[in-house]
Amino acid sequence: MRLKSLTCLALAMGFGLSACQENVEKETTNLNLTAYVDPYIGTGDHGHVFMGANVPFGLVQLGPTNISEGWDWVSGYHISDSTIFGFTHMHLNGTGIGDLCDIAFMPVTGPVKLGKGNITDPESGQYSLFDRKTETAKAGYYAVHLDRYGIDVELTATKRVGFHKYIFPASKDARVIIDLKSKLNWDKPVDTYLIYENDTTISGYRNSVGWANDQRVFFTATFSKPMKGFLLSEGEEGKEATELQATGVFGQALFDTQDKEDIYIKVALSPVSIENAKLNMAAELPGWDFKQTIVNADEAWNKELNKIQIKSNDETIKRIFYTGLYHTMIAPSEFCDVNGDYRGADAQMHKGEGFVNYTTFSLWDTYRAAHPLMTIIHPEKMGDMINTMLTIYKQQGKLPVWHLVGCETDCMVGNPGIPVVADAILKGFGGFDKELAYEAMKNSAMLDERGLKYLKEYGYIPYDKESEGLSKCMEYAIADWALSQVAKEMGKMEDYEYFLNRSKAYKHYFDKQTGFVRGLSSDGKFRPKFNPFESVHRENDYTEGNAWQYTWLVPHDIHGLVDLFGSKEAFVTKLDSLFTVEGSLGAHASPDISGLIGQYAHGNEPSHHVLYIYPYIGQPWKTAEKVREVLKDLYTDQPAGLSGNEDVGQMSAWYILSAMGLYQVEPAGGKYIFGSPIVDEALIQVGNNKTFKVIATNNSKSNIYIQQVLLNGKPYELSFIDFKDIQAGGTLEFVMGNTPSQTWGLNAIN
């Protein structure tokens, strides 16, 4: 900021002060960007996004939970549903598997049957219907009217505390149900506990099994109004008591209420203990100012959203962009208390160790775009992210695969933690032990689990030895390449050669006769009865995909893949056909294979880099055409605005980067490939008081092709930009036109 001030002074002496002051104000003033966030985007179709109140990267995601179960309710909420059985404090955002929805609070009037109930019988449980016209959702705030009880509900949050406001009708039997028993989808309680401490305070815990096989959440809740009584039960009949431990406990706080009387409840969570939950509440929400807490949540979101300020005349683009940016910051979630205490991957409680511990690492999805975006706009978090991963390694013997609330789910394939750690090292981030990081990557890559034993034995993973062996091997190859690049940088040349060689394992699967990758047996024979369109979910060679999609999953060695086709022309012909060919996926295909353009599947992550392959072969105009098509047709500002699961921010991160004209194809190192920006300008806060501005001159719906690139005012001939140039700050200008350039971008990326 001091350098900018000195520059302004010099300009003021020559050109007048006012223009320079205006320029600084434009580049530093925070905008009201939460106005563009629409939490409904992604709540329809199969987006699976979280709906409710939270703050960036917070432990608490407080929101309504429907009674329905199934794939479209894995986040607890779907736009098609008008039921609420409780307001739960933890949710996933856009995953394909259901878990969390812990610690449910539900205001009611009169005695009701405890539990979720079923939609066919309104008296079967505690749920209420609601009218979406009474529902309000924005960043950090949620409100709804419960029709059955005539109660208005408002919610907001801090990082570790959910703040409830219930507006009751006049009643001699107003109640707040604390539901630790009801399950949703995979989640099942195994040990729960409630204690009545006094007439305004209750505390407890909920231990459950599900996708996370040993989840433990502790909490304390404080009421603004003294209870007139408190009931505890495991079943239907509540009894006056002060303490109960059981598989599934219900509590009922009882009140007399006047018409339109407000009752506020603060619920603090902790992964460690009830005592730490109280510590979190005292630190984050000691008072009762509900309106100010809403303001604070809005300010927290605005601070983060202002890390990228875009200009566009299209308000729809702004809504999609900033809602997407919001979705990228729901997780990873802080999984520690205000004093740093956390629950580790070893199931032990640990005292603060000088870093912020995180959870919800959907790495098979997020290593592709969400983490590369994070390195640009959240550099201050990178040390904590990597230290969390290294701590997980020390506690469970490998880097995280898909880590949730201290538990390794081993969901999806490959070693997706390796590219994230390697990317941080290659981009020059510090604050963590690089030798330990290398050890963690290498040891994770040399285990015998999840097909790695066969990779080491055969040089690939045979289909007769391991299910989904092809997909596992191709993902391992991506991680091995990332590891090899770190080995090279650190001078570990023997390891470099070993892992670089292993990163070429994908070549074993390439069938030159068909031009596809296909399963290979332990005796070196391709799987018979080959159909490149067919996908048999979790019982074939491909994880959530088919041969058409997986043939291109070589982001680390595109030129090696080109060579397998025999010529650039054959490669281009096959790649072009990906976007036009039609065929049936078969009756047993995964629903994740969605957002299809031909056989390109934007709704699932293995396809996300494919549009950016063309600049590697000197044909960037094809990337421009296809990126614009996806940005326009497969993202909208409606509830069904995502073509697949949000996947903890990955779908949106693709949009954010692509809207600015950038995408990191290679899994680590920071080479951001140019596409076709749809925003006219993006001012990016890259840390250390530096900004990187992207300008698209002559940009329009028809001017989609890059004609010229300028970096800091000088002609720039490459089809990509390195992370170090973004991190340094400056200005990148794309000059756009309506026909492909005859001069720019024709040189292939090496």
Side-chain angles (χ1 to χ4, degrees):
M1 294 304 294
R2 179 171 172 79
L3 287 174
K4 183 172 285 186
S5 298
L6 291 172
T7 302
C8 286
L9 179 60
L11 287 172
M13 293 172 66
F15 301 102
L17 184 62
S18 60
C20 188
Q21 284 180 327
E22 181 181 357
N23 182 57
V24 172
E25 183 178 355
K26 284 182 178 178
E27 298 215 340
T28 60
T29 300
N30 276 2
L31 306 175
N32 180 24
L33 298 178
T34 54
Y36 293 105
V37 173
D38 183 354
Y40 287 104
I41 296 175
T43 59
D45 201 14
H46 308 309
H48 300 178
V49 300
F50 161 66
M51 167 60 77
N54 66 329
V55 295
F57 307 104
L59 173 65
V60 167
Q61 303 93 34
L62 173 59
T65 304
N66 305 142
I67 66 171
S68 303
E69 296 188 22
W71 198 55
D72 281 332
W73 280 267
V74 290
S75 72
Y77 180 98
H78 194 267
I79 194 68
S80 65
D81 202 321
S82 57
T83 65
I84 296 173
F85 84 86
F87 299 95
T88 56
H89 289 78
M90 298 177 74
H91 293 80
L92 289 166
N93 179 48
T95 67
I97 303 178
D99 211 331
L100 304 187
C101 297
D102 290 275
I103 319 296
F105 277 57
M106 182 66 175
V108 304
T109 53
V112 298
K113 190 170 184 179
L114 301 178
K116 287 167 54 179
N118 61 76
I119 194 66
T120 60
D121 180 4
E123 303 297 322
S124 61
Q126 66 203 35
Y127 80 87
S128 172
L129 296 175
F130 71 96
D131 186 333
R132 194 149 274 108
K133 293 178 182 178
T134 71
E135 193 178 38
T136 301
K138 61 181 183 178
Y141 175 80
Y142 176 86
V144 72
H145 179 78
L146 300 177
D147 292 347
R148 179 177 176 183
Y149 306 113
I151 298 172
D152 288 310
V153 174
E154 297 181 58
L155 308 173
T156 188
T158 67
K159 282 188 176 182
R160 297 168 179 82
V161 186
F163 202 176
H164 306 238
K165 177 184 178 182
Y166 302 151
I167 306 173
F168 281 91
S171 175
K172 292 294 184 182
D173 199 359
R175 306 181 182 211
V176 176
I177 299 170
I178 300 90
D179 182 353
L180 307 183
K181 185 172 185 176
S182 294
K183 63 180 286 291
L184 189 75
N185 291 307
W186 288 30
D187 173 80
K188 179 183 177 182
V190 293
D191 180 22
T192 64
Y193 172 72
L194 266 177
I195 181 171
Y196 172 88
E197 298 190 17
N198 56 55
D199 61 5
T200 59
T201 305
I202 62 169
S203 301
Y205 63 74
R206 186 177 189 270
N207 298 344
S208 61
V209 297
W211 193 15
N213 60 11
D214 184 14
Q215 184 188 358
R216 304 185 182 196
V217 184
F218 300 86
F219 74 97
T220 190
T222 303
F223 294 77
S224 62
K225 178 177 180 173
M227 297 172 253
K228 70 174 184 180
F230 187 71
L231 307 179
L232 282 166
S233 64
E234 186 175 6
E236 287 302 312
E237 295 299 322
K239 297 181 180 179
E240 289 277 0
T242 59
E243 191 173 8
L244 180 61
Q245 180 182 3
T247 300
V249 174
F250 289 102
Q252 297 180 70
L254 310 180
F255 303 93
D256 291 332
T257 54
Q258 304 296 317
D259 189 36
K260 299 189 182 303
E261 181 176 353
D262 300 339
I263 295 181
Y264 297 89
I265 310 170
K266 299 184 295 185
V267 184
L269 304 189
S270 166
V272 173
S273 66
I274 291 172
E275 291 73 22
N276 273 20
K278 293 178 179 179
L279 183 68
N280 293 339
M281 186 183 295
E284 292 189 357
L285 197 59
W288 291 95
D289 194 333
F290 190 79
K291 290 183 179 179
Q292 186 60 48
T293 308
I294 297 171
V295 170
N296 293 346
D298 184 78
E299 289 178 349
W301 278 113
N302 256 322
K303 178 182 177 182
E304 297 295 338
L305 295 173
N306 269 277
K307 288 182 174 179
I308 307 179
Q309 296 180 355
I310 64 169
K311 291 183 180 179
S312 173
N313 292 325
D314 191 329
E315 294 295 291
T316 297
I317 288 176
K318 291 181 180 179
R319 285 192 292 273
I320 298 170
F321 188 97
Y322 284 111
T323 303
L325 192 55
Y326 161 82
H327 280 147
T328 69
M329 295 187 284
I330 292 175
S333 305
E334 292 192 16
F335 192 58
C336 58
D337 297 318
V338 291
N339 61 0
D341 292 356
Y342 68 97
R343 181 171 185 264
D346 55 3
Q348 301 300 309
M349 307 306 178
H350 295 264
K351 290 294 184 182
E353 297 175 1
F355 70 96
V356 177
N357 190 63
Y358 284 89
T359 189
T360 317
F361 285 110
S362 180
L363 295 168
W364 183 82
D365 307 295
T366 56
Y367 85 79
R368 305 169 202 266
H371 282 280
L373 173 63
M374 187 178 294
T375 62
I376 295 174
I377 64 173
H378 303 302
E380 75 284 355
K381 296 187 183 300
M382 292 308 299
D384 290 331
M385 292 287 174
I386 303 304
N387 276 315
T388 296
M389 292 186 179
L390 299 184
T391 300
I392 290 171
Y393 159 71
K394 289 189 291 184
Q395 293 170 350
Q396 70 177 24
K398 65 181 180 183
L399 287 170
V401 178
W402 209 128
H403 229 258
L404 180 62
V405 291
C407 302
E408 181 57 76
T409 71
D410 274 328
C411 189
M412 306 312 293
V413 297
N415 260 326
I418 290 177
V420 176
V421 176
D423 196 37
I425 293 173
L426 295 173
K427 287 176 176 174
F429 286 102
F432 57 91
D433 185 335
K434 288 185 174 58
E435 286 293 340
L436 176 62
Y438 186 81
E439 173 194 312
M441 290 189 291
K442 182 177 178 180
N443 286 351
S444 298
M446 295 303 291
L447 297 173
D448 287 335
E449 63 173 27
R450 299 181 299 122
L452 280 167
K453 173 183 177 182
Y454 303 115
L455 174 59
K456 291 185 288 185
E457 181 178 351
Y458 292 91
Y460 62 95
I461 302 177
Y463 71 76
D464 53 336
K465 298 290 185 179
E466 184 85 12
S467 65
E468 298 182 312
L470 182 149
S471 293
K472 290 176 180 177
C473 185
M474 293 187 76
E475 287 285 356
Y476 285 137
I478 294 169
D480 287 342
W481 179 87
L483 174 51
S484 77
Q485 301 308 296
V486 177
K488 183 179 181 181
E489 181 171 286
M490 297 178 70
K492 303 176 187 293
M493 299 310 294
E494 185 176 345
D495 285 355
Y496 165 69
E497 295 291 345
Y498 173 79
F499 287 109
L500 183 65
N501 180 65
R502 222 171 72 167
S503 76
K504 301 180 189 300
Y506 71 91
K507 294 184 177 183
H508 290 282
Y509 297 108
F510 189 79
D511 176 9
K512 293 187 177 181
Q513 287 189 328
T514 63
F516 292 103
V517 293
R518 54 188 291 196
L520 198 64
S521 68
S522 55
D523 60 0
K525 296 179 180 178
F526 287 117
R527 185 188 286 274
K529 299 180 181 180
F530 174 66
N531 179 344
F533 294 97
E534 187 177 38
S535 175
V536 181
H537 191 36
R538 304 197 188 285
E539 295 180 7
N540 207 329
D541 301 311
Y542 311 101
T543 301
E544 298 179 1
N546 62 16
W548 272 106
Q549 289 132 26
Y550 268 88
T551 294
W552 316 103
L553 189 61
V554 192
H556 59 291
D557 189 20
I558 290 170
H559 292 296
L561 180 61
V562 172
D563 291 342
L564 291 178
F565 280 86
S567 69
K568 173 184 170 182
E569 291 72 23
F571 177 85
V572 171
T573 298
K574 191 60 170 274
L575 182 56
D576 287 346
S577 68
L578 171 69
F579 303 97
T580 59
V581 70
E582 295 182 1
S584 173
L585 296 169
H588 303 290
S590 166
D592 288 289
I593 308 172
S594 58
L596 291 171
I597 300 174
Q599 285 297 295
Y600 171 79
H602 191 73
N604 213 24
E605 281 65 29
S607 288
H608 275 190
H609 71 287
V610 176
L611 304 187
Y612 288 90
I613 288 177
Y614 285 107
Y616 284 83
I617 51 176
Q619 297 185 358
W621 62 90
K622 292 182 179 178
T623 288
E625 293 166 354
K626 291 169 176 58
V627 165
R628 284 289 183 116
E629 180 181 359
V630 170
L631 289 170
K632 179 175 69 74
D633 295 341
L634 296 183
Y635 291 86
T636 75
D637 62 350
Q638 300 303 305
L642 295 172
S643 60
N645 305 156
E646 173 60 84
D647 282 319
V648 194
Q650 168 61 26
M651 284 289 288
S652 288
W654 188 97
Y655 184 94
I656 300 303
L657 288 168
S658 295
M660 298 188 295
L662 310 169
Y663 193 80
Q664 181 172 302
V665 171
E666 295 161 18
K671 187 184 290 182
Y672 290 81
I673 312 304
F674 297 153
S676 180
I678 59 167
V679 301
D680 300 326
E681 185 178 305
L683 182 66
I684 310 168
Q685 304 290 333
V686 294
N688 295 319
N689 292 321
K690 295 179 181 179
T691 61
F692 185 76
K693 181 183 287 187
V694 180
I695 300 172
T697 301
N698 300 327
N699 193 34
S700 70
K701 292 181 179 179
S702 59
N703 290 355
I704 68 173
Y705 303 102
I706 298 173
Q707 307 295 304
Q708 182 185 13
V709 179
L710 303 172
L711 180 60
N712 298 324
K714 298 179 180 180
Y716 187 81
E717 300 301 325
L718 300 177
S719 301
F720 65 91
I721 187 170
D722 283 320
F723 174 78
K724 61 181 175 56
D725 292 320
I726 298 174
Q727 189 180 44
T731 300
L732 178 70
E733 182 178 359
F734 298 113
V735 180
M736 310 299 292
N738 61 8
T739 57
S741 172
Q742 299 300 306
T743 57
W744 180 85
L746 303 185
N747 294 324
I749 297 174
N750 294 321

